[in-house]
Amino acid sequence: NNGTVNGATLNTDRFGNANSAYSFDGVNDYIDLGSYILNNPQQYTISCWAKFNNNIFSYIFGQATNGEIQIQSDGSGNVKSWNKLTNGGSVSVGNTIPDLVNWHHLVASFDNISKVLTFRIDNIPFTITIPNGVNIQSFNGNALLGRQSNLSANFFNGSIDDVVIYNRILTQ
């Protein structure tokens, strides 16, 4: 799935290749990946490279309708994975954005069997376990890069490259 680009512009990627990553202005740019990218997943892994221009509250990845999954900058210098749960609560895990100069590899994964949500920043893992009997809430809206998926808000200011979404756990 290549997505539909809405305002994001081609930019230089982390290797210096021109027109190989997308730049988002933090105002109204996003890429719509379509619906049912991850619908009621038992396992998933979302991997991307991101370069932050600031650390305001914004979405790098989001998919929502009833439930929600996000990779976001939380506005206080952290980047994290956030998920809505079937019990009405939510769970998130992450850590400090290392810097606003370099590209960073972000990987969010969830395994419904072990109940572990893992978020890696430059291959450093941060994990949290959700309680037995609780699952990640099913979500079936469009998956978006660069903004919140259920509201036209929280636009990302920076660059995103090499987004890959799997319906399984990647461990390395």
Side-chain angles (χ1 to χ4, degrees), residues 9-148:
T9 56
L10 286 169
N11 193 16
T12 303
D13 70 8
R14 67 187 188 281
F15 300 114
N17 298 314
N19 299 319
S20 296
Y22 276 96
S23 177
F24 298 79
D25 66 6
V27 177
N28 59 3
D29 295 353
Y30 67 98
I31 297 175
D32 188 331
L33 301 176
S35 62
Y36 301 103
I37 299 295
L38 290 170
N39 186 24
N40 198 22
Q42 292 303 301
Q43 297 180 325
Y44 69 78
T45 301
I46 302 167
S47 172
C48 71
W49 286 85
K51 184 175 181 184
F52 300 84
N53 290 345
N54 58 38
N55 57 20
I56 63 169
F57 184 80
S58 62
Y59 284 59
I60 297 159
F61 174 89
Q63 183 174 0
T65 292
N66 299 319
E68 190 164 3
I69 179 175
Q70 310 165 2
I71 296 177
Q72 64 174 231
S73 170
D74 71 1
S76 63
N78 297 308
V79 62
K80 63 185 179 180
S81 177
W82 183 96
N83 292 267
K84 193 172 184 181
L85 301 175
T86 54
N87 67 358
S90 64
V91 62
S92 67
V93 63
N95 205 355
T96 304
I97 299 168
D99 61 64
L100 300 178
V101 177
N102 296 300
W103 285 90
H104 300 286
H105 190 212
L106 309 176
V107 181
S109 60
F110 174 70
D111 185 347
N112 197 36
I113 297 165
S114 66
K115 301 293 188 186
V116 174
L117 174 65
T118 302
F119 188 66
R120 296 177 188 276
I121 305 169
D122 297 331
N123 208 29
I124 299 170
F126 304 92
T127 62
I128 191 167
T129 302
I130 65 172
N132 285 326
V134 177
N135 294 315
I136 298 291
Q137 178 92 17
S138 176
F139 35 86
N140 56 9
N142 284 16
L144 302 176
L145 298 176
R147 79 158 230 223
Q148 190 168 343

